[in-house]
Protein backbone atom coordinates (compact mmCIF):
# COMPACT_ATOMS: atom_id res chain seq x y z
CA UNK A 1 0.00 0.00 0.00
CA UNK A 2 1.04 3.55 -0.69
CA UNK A 3 0.30 5.78 2.27
CA UNK A 4 0.29 9.59 2.48
CA UNK A 5 0.66 11.19 5.92
CA UNK A 6 -0.56 14.79 6.17
CA UNK A 7 1.23 16.93 8.77
CA UNK A 8 4.71 17.86 9.94
CA UNK A 9 5.19 17.30 13.67
CA UNK A 10 6.36 14.73 16.20
CA UNK A 11 2.92 13.10 16.15
CA UNK A 12 3.18 12.53 12.40
CA UNK A 13 6.70 11.14 12.82
CA UNK A 14 5.41 8.69 15.46
CA UNK A 15 2.52 7.64 13.18
CA UNK A 16 4.89 7.09 10.26
CA UNK A 17 7.32 4.99 12.32
CA UNK A 18 4.40 2.81 13.46
CA UNK A 19 2.92 2.50 9.94
CA UNK A 20 6.36 1.47 8.67
CA UNK A 21 6.24 -1.59 10.92
CA UNK A 22 3.34 -2.90 8.82
CA UNK A 23 4.25 -5.29 6.02
CA UNK A 24 1.40 -3.77 4.03
CA UNK A 25 3.04 -0.33 3.91
CA UNK A 26 5.29 -0.47 0.87
CA UNK A 27 5.71 3.28 0.39
CA UNK A 28 5.08 6.20 2.74
CA UNK A 29 4.91 9.86 1.73
CA UNK A 30 4.57 12.80 4.09
CA UNK A 31 3.33 16.31 3.25
CA UNK A 32 4.91 18.58 4.26
CA UNK A 33 6.96 16.59 6.83
CA UNK A 34 10.19 17.74 8.47
CA UNK A 35 13.92 17.00 8.59
CA UNK A 36 13.61 13.82 10.65
CA UNK A 37 10.55 12.53 8.82
CA UNK A 38 12.62 12.80 5.62
CA UNK A 39 14.63 9.82 6.91
CA UNK A 40 11.51 7.65 7.21
CA UNK A 41 9.25 8.82 4.38
CA UNK A 42 9.38 10.59 1.06
CA UNK A 43 8.71 14.28 1.60
CA UNK A 44 6.06 15.95 -0.56
CA UNK A 45 6.13 19.71 -0.71
CA UNK A 46 2.43 20.46 -0.15
CA UNK A 47 1.16 22.42 2.82
CA UNK A 48 -1.11 20.52 5.22
CA UNK A 49 -3.94 22.99 4.49
CA UNK A 50 -3.70 22.80 0.69
CA UNK A 51 -6.65 20.48 0.15
CA UNK A 52 -6.82 20.74 -3.65
CA UNK A 53 -3.18 19.87 -4.23
CA UNK A 54 -3.26 17.14 -1.58
CA UNK A 55 -6.19 15.45 -3.35
CA UNK A 56 -4.45 15.86 -6.71
CA UNK A 57 -1.25 14.28 -5.36
CA UNK A 58 -3.20 11.38 -3.86
CA UNK A 59 -5.01 10.73 -7.15
CA UNK A 60 -1.95 11.17 -9.39
CA UNK A 61 0.11 8.81 -7.24
CA UNK A 62 -2.60 6.20 -6.66
CA UNK A 63 -2.37 6.57 -2.88
CA UNK A 64 -4.21 3.75 -1.08
CA UNK A 65 -4.56 5.46 2.28
CA UNK A 66 -4.33 9.12 3.29
CA UNK A 67 -3.87 9.77 7.00
CA UNK A 68 -4.92 13.29 7.98
CA UNK A 69 -3.26 13.92 11.36
CA UNK A 70 -3.65 17.66 12.25
CA UNK A 71 -6.82 19.45 13.38
CA UNK A 72 -6.88 22.28 10.81
CA UNK A 73 -7.19 20.20 7.62
CA UNK A 74 -9.70 17.91 9.36
CA UNK A 75 -11.87 20.88 10.33
CA UNK A 76 -11.48 22.27 6.80
CA UNK A 77 -12.82 19.05 5.26
CA UNK A 78 -9.75 17.32 3.83
CA UNK A 79 -11.18 13.85 4.52
CA UNK A 80 -14.47 14.82 2.83
CA UNK A 81 -12.52 16.05 -0.22
CA UNK A 82 -10.50 12.81 -0.42
CA UNK A 83 -13.65 10.69 -0.17
CA UNK A 84 -15.32 12.74 -2.87
CA UNK A 85 -12.34 12.03 -5.12
CA UNK A 86 -12.56 8.31 -4.34
CA UNK A 87 -9.48 8.25 -2.11
CA UNK A 88 -9.58 6.30 1.18
CA UNK A 89 -8.75 8.58 4.10
CA UNK A 90 -8.35 8.15 7.85
CA UNK A 91 -9.84 10.90 10.01
CA UNK A 92 -13.24 12.43 10.77
CA UNK A 93 -15.32 14.35 8.27
CA UNK A 94 -15.56 18.10 8.88
CA UNK A 95 -19.03 17.78 10.41
CA UNK A 96 -17.53 15.51 13.09
CA UNK A 97 -14.18 17.33 13.50
CA UNK A 98 -16.27 20.23 14.82
CA UNK A 99 -16.16 18.43 18.17
CA UNK A 100 -12.68 19.97 18.51
CA UNK A 101 -13.06 22.99 16.24
CA UNK A 102 -15.93 24.50 18.24
CA UNK A 103 -15.99 24.44 22.03
CA UNK A 104 -19.53 25.82 21.91
CA UNK A 105 -20.55 22.76 19.87
CA UNK A 106 -18.81 20.29 22.18
CA UNK A 107 -20.13 21.86 25.37
CA UNK A 108 -23.70 21.90 24.03
CA UNK A 109 -23.32 18.28 22.92
CA UNK A 110 -22.22 17.23 26.39
CA UNK A 111 -25.06 19.13 28.02
CA UNK A 112 -27.66 17.62 25.66
CA UNK A 113 -26.43 14.04 26.21
CA UNK A 114 -25.56 14.29 29.92
CA UNK A 115 -21.84 13.72 29.45
CA UNK A 116 -19.99 14.97 32.55
CA UNK A 117 -18.16 18.26 32.00
CA UNK A 118 -17.59 21.61 33.75
CA UNK A 119 -20.67 23.87 34.10
CA UNK A 120 -20.61 26.68 31.53
CA UNK A 121 -22.29 29.53 29.71
CA UNK A 122 -21.77 30.67 26.10
CA UNK A 123 -21.48 34.36 25.10
CA UNK A 124 -21.32 36.28 21.82
CA UNK A 125 -21.34 39.68 23.51
CA UNK A 126 -18.37 40.80 25.66
CA UNK A 127 -20.51 43.05 27.89
CA UNK A 128 -22.82 40.19 28.80
CA UNK A 129 -19.83 37.94 29.48
CA UNK A 130 -18.32 40.59 31.78
CA UNK A 131 -21.62 41.08 33.66
CA UNK A 132 -21.82 37.30 34.09
CA UNK A 133 -18.37 36.90 35.66
CA UNK A 134 -19.07 39.92 37.89
CA UNK A 135 -22.38 38.54 39.09
CA UNK A 136 -21.07 34.99 39.63
CA UNK A 137 -18.04 36.47 41.41
CA UNK A 138 -16.25 33.10 41.67
CA UNK A 139 -12.56 32.57 40.93
CA UNK A 140 -10.66 30.88 39.43
CA UNK A 141 -12.88 31.00 36.37
CA UNK A 142 -12.03 29.58 32.94
CA UNK A 143 -12.45 31.65 29.75
CA UNK A 144 -12.21 29.79 26.42
CA UNK A 145 -12.26 30.99 22.83
CA UNK A 146 -14.76 28.93 20.81
CA UNK A 147 -12.47 27.99 17.90
CA UNK A 148 -9.03 26.51 17.26
CA UNK A 149 -6.29 28.64 18.84
CA UNK A 150 -3.17 26.42 18.84
CA UNK A 151 -3.92 25.26 22.37
CA UNK A 152 -3.66 28.85 23.62
CA UNK A 153 -7.32 29.88 23.67
CA UNK A 154 -7.88 28.87 27.30
CA UNK A 155 -7.32 31.36 30.11
CA UNK A 156 -7.61 30.39 33.76
CA UNK A 157 -8.37 33.70 35.44
CA UNK A 158 -7.37 33.98 39.09
CA UNK A 159 -9.22 37.28 39.63
CA UNK A 160 -12.35 38.90 38.19
CA UNK A 161 -10.08 41.58 36.66
CA UNK A 162 -8.08 38.88 34.83
CA UNK A 163 -11.30 37.29 33.57
CA UNK A 164 -12.48 40.66 32.23
CA UNK A 165 -9.12 41.24 30.51
CA UNK A 166 -9.31 37.77 28.95
CA UNK A 167 -12.84 38.41 27.64
CA UNK A 168 -11.74 41.74 26.14
CA UNK A 169 -8.60 40.39 24.52
CA UNK A 170 -10.43 37.42 22.97
CA UNK A 171 -13.67 39.13 21.94
CA UNK A 172 -12.69 42.75 21.33
CA UNK A 173 -8.98 42.68 20.43
CA UNK A 174 -9.50 39.36 18.59
CA UNK A 175 -6.31 37.85 20.00
CA UNK A 176 -7.23 34.56 18.33
CA UNK A 177 -9.06 36.05 15.34
CA UNK A 178 -12.53 34.74 14.54
CA UNK A 179 -11.96 31.85 16.99
CA UNK A 180 -12.99 34.39 19.63
CA UNK A 181 -16.34 35.50 18.14
CA UNK A 182 -17.96 33.30 20.77
CA UNK A 183 -16.58 32.31 24.14
CA UNK A 184 -17.30 29.70 26.76
CA UNK A 185 -17.01 30.68 30.42
CA UNK A 186 -16.78 27.66 32.65
CA UNK A 187 -16.36 26.36 36.14
CA UNK A 188 -12.78 25.68 37.28
CA UNK A 189 -12.26 21.97 37.97
CA UNK A 190 -9.49 20.32 39.95
CA UNK A 191 -7.84 16.92 39.87
CA UNK A 192 -5.28 15.01 37.82
CA UNK A 193 -5.58 15.25 34.03
CA UNK A 194 -5.64 12.19 31.80
CA UNK A 195 -5.49 11.95 28.01
CA UNK A 196 -7.27 8.99 26.46
CA UNK A 197 -7.07 8.54 22.70
CA UNK A 198 -9.63 6.16 21.25
CA UNK A 199 -10.13 4.45 17.92
CA UNK A 200 -13.69 4.71 16.68
CA UNK A 201 -15.55 3.87 13.48
CA UNK A 202 -18.60 5.89 14.50
CA UNK A 203 -20.33 2.96 16.18
CA UNK A 204 -17.73 1.14 18.26
CA UNK A 205 -15.08 2.84 20.42
CA UNK A 206 -11.83 1.20 21.52
CA UNK A 207 -9.79 3.29 23.95
CA UNK A 208 -6.01 3.14 23.64
CA UNK A 209 -3.64 2.95 26.60
CA UNK A 210 -3.84 6.12 28.70
CA UNK A 211 -1.32 8.94 28.82
CA UNK A 212 -0.53 12.17 30.57
CA UNK A 213 0.60 15.42 28.99
CA UNK A 214 2.57 18.23 30.68
CA UNK A 215 1.27 21.41 29.09
CA UNK A 216 3.09 24.17 30.96
CA UNK A 217 6.44 25.38 29.68
CA UNK A 218 8.43 25.03 32.91
CA UNK A 219 8.97 22.63 35.81
CA UNK A 220 6.32 22.46 38.56
CA UNK A 221 3.68 23.34 35.95
CA UNK A 222 4.86 26.94 35.81
CA UNK A 223 4.95 29.26 32.80
CA UNK A 224 2.68 29.48 29.79
CA UNK A 225 0.60 26.71 28.27
CA UNK A 226 2.31 24.99 25.33
CA UNK A 227 1.31 22.32 22.85
CA UNK A 228 2.79 19.83 25.34
CA UNK A 229 6.28 19.49 26.86
CA UNK A 230 6.29 15.77 27.52
CA UNK A 231 4.13 12.73 28.10
CA UNK A 232 4.05 9.39 29.88
CA UNK A 233 2.00 6.24 29.34
CA UNK A 234 0.23 4.75 31.19
CA UNK A 235 -1.21 7.56 33.31
CA UNK A 236 -0.79 6.51 36.96
CA UNK A 237 -4.09 8.18 37.95
CA UNK A 238 -6.13 6.21 35.43
CA UNK A 239 -7.18 3.11 37.35
CA UNK A 240 -9.21 0.25 35.86
CA UNK A 241 -12.21 1.46 37.82
CA UNK A 242 -11.92 5.00 36.44
CA UNK A 243 -11.42 3.55 32.96
CA UNK A 244 -14.70 1.68 33.25
CA UNK A 245 -16.56 4.78 34.46
CA UNK A 246 -15.08 6.78 31.56
CA UNK A 247 -16.15 4.16 29.03
CA UNK A 248 -19.72 4.00 30.35
CA UNK A 249 -20.32 7.69 31.05
CA UNK A 250 -18.08 9.45 28.51
CA UNK A 251 -16.57 7.40 25.64
CA UNK A 252 -19.56 5.40 24.43
CA UNK A 253 -22.11 8.17 25.11
CA UNK A 254 -20.00 10.59 23.03
CA UNK A 255 -19.83 8.21 20.06
CA UNK A 256 -23.57 7.56 20.30
CA UNK A 257 -24.30 11.28 20.63
CA UNK A 258 -22.32 12.08 17.49
CA UNK A 259 -24.11 9.31 15.62
CA UNK A 260 -27.52 10.64 16.76
CA UNK A 261 -26.56 14.14 15.65
CA UNK A 262 -25.87 12.80 12.15
CA UNK A 263 -22.14 13.43 12.62
CA UNK A 264 -20.63 9.94 13.05
CA UNK A 265 -17.01 10.29 14.17
CA UNK A 266 -14.50 8.03 12.40
CA UNK A 267 -10.83 8.17 13.31
CA UNK A 268 -9.04 8.90 16.56
CA UNK A 269 -11.04 10.79 19.17
CA UNK A 270 -9.00 12.32 21.97
CA UNK A 271 -10.66 12.68 25.37
CA UNK A 272 -8.98 15.29 27.59
CA UNK A 273 -10.24 14.32 31.03
CA UNK A 274 -9.96 15.56 34.58
CA UNK A 275 -10.43 13.12 37.45
CA UNK A 276 -12.33 15.46 39.77
CA UNK A 277 -13.46 14.61 43.32
CA UNK A 278 -16.91 14.09 41.73
CA UNK A 279 -15.61 11.67 39.10
CA UNK A 280 -14.08 11.98 35.63
CA UNK A 281 -15.19 14.95 33.50
CA UNK A 282 -14.38 16.05 29.97
CA UNK A 283 -12.12 19.10 29.68
CA UNK A 284 -11.92 18.96 25.90
CA UNK A 285 -12.24 16.75 22.85
CA UNK A 286 -9.72 16.67 20.03
CA UNK A 287 -10.56 15.17 16.66
CA UNK A 288 -7.10 13.59 16.22
CA UNK A 289 -4.12 12.00 17.91
CA UNK A 290 -2.60 14.22 20.59
CA UNK A 291 0.88 15.62 20.20
CA UNK A 292 2.95 14.50 22.18
CA UNK A 293 0.48 11.82 23.37
CA UNK A 294 0.92 9.86 20.12
CA UNK A 295 4.65 9.68 20.86
CA UNK A 296 4.08 7.55 24.01
CA UNK A 297 0.90 5.66 23.02
CA UNK A 298 1.92 4.42 19.56
CA UNK A 299 5.18 2.71 20.62
CA UNK A 300 2.99 0.54 22.88
CA UNK A 301 0.68 -0.55 20.04
CA UNK A 302 1.21 -4.19 19.03
CA UNK A 303 -1.56 -4.54 16.41
CA UNK A 304 -0.86 -3.47 12.82
CA UNK A 305 -1.89 0.21 12.53
CA UNK A 306 -2.69 -0.17 8.82
CA UNK A 307 -5.23 -2.90 9.70
CA UNK A 308 -6.81 -0.63 12.32
CA UNK A 309 -7.08 2.29 9.86
CA UNK A 310 -8.72 0.04 7.28
CA UNK A 311 -11.15 -1.41 9.83
CA UNK A 312 -12.18 2.11 10.85
CA UNK A 313 -12.70 3.30 7.28
CA UNK A 314 -14.78 0.16 6.57
CA UNK A 315 -16.72 0.54 9.85
CA UNK A 316 -15.55 -2.87 11.03
CA UNK A 317 -13.70 -1.89 14.18
CA UNK A 318 -15.76 -4.41 16.18
CA UNK A 319 -14.01 -7.22 14.29
CA UNK A 320 -10.45 -6.31 15.24
CA UNK A 321 -8.69 -7.15 18.48
CA UNK A 322 -6.29 -4.34 19.44
CA UNK A 323 -3.31 -5.37 21.54
CA UNK A 324 -0.78 -3.35 23.53
CA UNK A 325 2.66 -3.94 25.00
CA UNK A 326 2.97 -3.88 28.79
CA UNK A 327 5.46 -1.57 30.46
CA UNK A 328 5.68 2.18 30.10
CA UNK A 329 6.86 4.95 27.78
CA UNK A 330 8.07 8.48 28.42
CA UNK A 331 8.60 11.36 25.97
CA UNK A 332 10.61 14.46 26.83
CA UNK A 333 10.17 17.37 24.44
CA UNK A 334 13.26 19.44 23.64
CA UNK A 335 12.03 22.91 22.70
CA UNK A 336 13.61 26.06 21.32
CA UNK A 337 14.63 28.61 23.97
CA UNK A 338 11.77 31.10 24.39
CA UNK A 339 8.98 28.73 23.22
CA UNK A 340 5.96 29.20 23.37
CA UNK A 341 6.83 32.86 22.70
CA UNK A 342 9.46 34.03 20.18
CA UNK A 343 12.40 31.72 19.46
CA UNK A 344 15.28 31.36 16.98
CA UNK A 345 15.28 28.87 14.11
CA UNK A 346 18.05 27.33 12.04
CA UNK A 347 20.32 26.30 14.93
CA UNK A 348 22.39 23.16 14.43
CA UNK A 349 21.40 20.12 16.48
CA UNK A 350 24.30 17.95 17.61
CA UNK A 351 24.32 14.42 19.01
CA UNK A 352 21.96 12.87 16.46
CA UNK A 353 23.15 10.08 14.19
CA UNK A 354 22.77 10.19 10.43
CA UNK A 355 19.17 8.88 10.69
CA UNK A 356 18.28 11.62 13.18
CA UNK A 357 18.20 9.25 16.14
CA UNK A 358 20.27 8.17 19.16
CA UNK A 359 21.05 4.82 20.87
CA UNK A 360 18.49 3.41 23.32
CA UNK A 361 15.69 5.89 22.57
CA UNK A 362 13.38 6.92 19.74
CA UNK A 363 13.79 10.50 18.58
CA UNK A 364 10.62 11.87 16.99
CA UNK A 365 11.31 15.05 15.07
CA UNK A 366 8.79 17.86 15.57
CA UNK A 367 10.40 21.08 14.31
CA UNK A 368 13.57 20.25 12.37
CA UNK A 369 14.87 20.64 8.86
CA UNK A 370 17.65 18.86 7.04
CA UNK A 371 20.29 20.99 5.30
CA UNK A 372 23.61 19.68 3.93
CA UNK A 373 23.05 16.51 5.97
CA UNK A 374 22.75 18.50 9.18
CA UNK A 375 19.64 18.72 11.33
CA UNK A 376 18.65 22.30 12.17
CA UNK A 377 15.93 23.58 14.52
CA UNK A 378 12.84 24.76 12.66
CA UNK A 379 10.03 25.15 15.21
CA UNK A 380 9.05 25.66 18.85
CA UNK A 381 8.96 22.03 19.78
CA UNK A 382 12.03 20.51 18.15
CA UNK A 383 12.36 16.86 19.24
CA UNK A 384 10.35 14.36 21.29
CA UNK A 385 12.87 12.02 22.89
CA UNK A 386 11.02 8.84 23.80
CA UNK A 387 11.98 5.65 25.60
CA UNK A 388 10.28 2.44 26.64
CA UNK A 389 10.86 0.66 29.96
CA UNK A 390 9.48 -2.14 32.08
CA UNK A 391 8.46 0.61 34.52
CA UNK A 392 7.79 4.33 34.19
CA UNK A 393 10.97 5.13 36.15
CA UNK A 394 13.04 3.08 33.73
CA UNK A 395 11.42 4.74 30.70
CA UNK A 396 12.03 8.20 32.20
CA UNK A 397 15.61 7.41 33.07
CA UNK A 398 16.33 6.22 29.51
CA UNK A 399 14.56 9.20 27.92
CA UNK A 400 16.47 11.72 30.07
CA UNK A 401 19.85 10.06 29.45
CA UNK A 402 19.18 10.27 25.72
CA UNK A 403 18.17 13.95 26.04
CA UNK A 404 21.54 14.70 27.66
CA UNK A 405 23.38 13.47 24.54
CA UNK A 406 21.57 15.93 22.24
CA UNK A 407 22.10 19.68 22.15
CA UNK A 408 21.38 22.92 20.36
CA UNK A 409 21.78 26.54 21.43
CA UNK A 410 19.08 27.54 23.94
CA UNK A 411 17.55 24.03 24.12
CA UNK A 412 14.92 23.85 26.84
CA UNK A 413 13.20 20.83 28.34
CA UNK A 414 11.31 20.09 31.53
CA UNK A 415 13.16 17.99 34.09
CA UNK A 416 10.03 16.76 35.88
CA UNK A 417 8.09 14.86 33.22
CA UNK A 418 6.16 12.06 34.93
CA UNK A 419 6.61 13.66 38.35
CA UNK A 420 3.73 16.15 38.55
CA UNK A 421 -0.02 15.84 38.97
P1 LIG B 1 -7.96 22.84 26.71
O1 LIG B 1 -7.31 23.53 25.55
O2 LIG B 1 -9.45 22.96 26.74
O3 LIG B 1 -7.43 21.45 26.88
O4 LIG B 1 -7.42 23.56 28.01
C1 LIG B 1 -6.05 23.66 28.27
C2 LIG B 1 -5.78 23.35 29.71
O5 LIG B 1 -6.47 24.26 30.54
C3 LIG B 1 -6.26 21.98 30.15
O6 LIG B 1 -5.34 20.98 29.87
C4 LIG B 1 -6.43 22.20 31.64
O7 LIG B 1 -5.19 22.09 32.30
C5 LIG B 1 -6.88 23.62 31.73
N1 LIG B 1 -8.34 23.70 31.84
C6 LIG B 1 -9.23 23.78 30.84
N2 LIG B 1 -10.50 23.83 31.31
C7 LIG B 1 -10.41 23.77 32.64
C8 LIG B 1 -11.37 23.77 33.70
N3 LIG B 1 -12.69 23.87 33.47
N4 LIG B 1 -10.92 23.69 34.97
C9 LIG B 1 -9.60 23.62 35.23
N5 LIG B 1 -8.64 23.62 34.27
C10 LIG B 1 -9.03 23.69 32.99
N1 LIG C 1 -1.08 17.50 23.72
C1 LIG C 1 -2.34 18.11 23.59
C2 LIG C 1 -2.92 18.11 22.25
O1 LIG C 1 -2.47 17.44 21.34
O2 LIG C 1 -3.89 18.82 22.05
Amino acid sequence: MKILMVGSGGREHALIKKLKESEKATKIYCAPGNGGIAKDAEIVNISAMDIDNMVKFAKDNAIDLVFVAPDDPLAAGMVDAMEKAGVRAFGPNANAAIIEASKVFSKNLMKKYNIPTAKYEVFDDPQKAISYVESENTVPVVVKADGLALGKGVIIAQTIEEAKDAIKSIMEDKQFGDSGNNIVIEEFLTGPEVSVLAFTDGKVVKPMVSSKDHKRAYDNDEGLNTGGMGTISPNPYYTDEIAKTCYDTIFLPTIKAMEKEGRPFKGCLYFGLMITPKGPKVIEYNARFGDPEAQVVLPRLKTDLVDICEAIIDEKLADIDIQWYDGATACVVMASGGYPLAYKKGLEITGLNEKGGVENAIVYHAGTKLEDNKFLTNGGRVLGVTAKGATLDEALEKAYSAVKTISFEGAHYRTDIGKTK
Side-chain angles (χ1 to χ4, degrees), residues 103 118 142 144 151-154 156 186-190 193 215 225 274 283-284 286:
K103 291 196 194 289
V142 185
K144 298 185 173 184
K152 292 171 196 155
V154 173
I156 298 176
E186 70 177 30
E187 172 198 13
F188 176 75
L189 300 175
T190 55
E193 285 185 56
K215 287 199 170 114
N225 254 327
M274 195 172 266
I283 292 282
E284 63 160 350
N286 292 321

Side-chain angles (χ1 to χ4, degrees), residues 174-323:
K174 299 277 179 207
Q175 196 190 347
F176 308 112
D178 286 343
S179 289
N181 291 349
N182 293 291
I183 59 167
V184 171
I185 297 186
E186 70 177 30
E187 172 198 13
F188 176 75
L189 300 175
T190 55
E193 285 185 56
V194 180
S195 303
V196 179
L197 316 179
F199 291 114
T200 171
D201 62 0
K203 295 180 291 198
V204 169
V205 56
K206 298 203 171 181
M208 305 182 210
V209 289
S210 64
S211 55
K212 175 172 172 44
D213 191 9
H214 297 70
K215 287 199 170 114
R216 299 295 187 125
Y218 301 114
D219 282 8
N220 301 315
D221 291 330
E222 283 168 17
L224 294 171
N225 254 327
T226 69
M229 293 298 293
T231 35
I232 53 168
S233 175
N235 185 315
Y237 297 97
Y238 193 68
T239 61
D240 289 349
E241 195 191 336
I242 290 173
K244 176 154 187 1
T245 306
C246 289
Y247 186 85
D248 294 340
T249 64
I250 296 173
F251 305 158
L252 195 56
T254 301
I255 299 307
K256 295 285 169 211
M258 290 297 279
E259 196 182 13
K260 275 219 181 88
E261 294 292 306
R263 300 168 182 273
F265 189 102
K266 290 169 73 170
C268 169
L269 183 54
Y270 167 132
F271 297 88
L273 308 169
M274 195 172 266
I275 313 302
T276 76
K278 290 186 184 155
K281 295 192 180 185
V282 177
I283 292 282
E284 63 160 350
Y285 294 112
N286 292 321
R288 50 169 177 84
F289 277 84
D291 185 346
E293 283 87 344
Q295 289 88 316
V296 286
V297 170
L298 290 169
R300 298 188 58 202
L301 177 62
K302 214 188 260 182
T303 307
D304 189 323
L305 181 56
V306 174
D307 288 343
I308 299 175
C309 293
E310 300 247 80
I312 288 173
I313 294 172
D314 296 330
E315 296 176 22
K316 288 188 173 146
L317 187 60
D319 298 346
I320 190 167
D321 176 33
I322 301 177
Q323 302 207 344

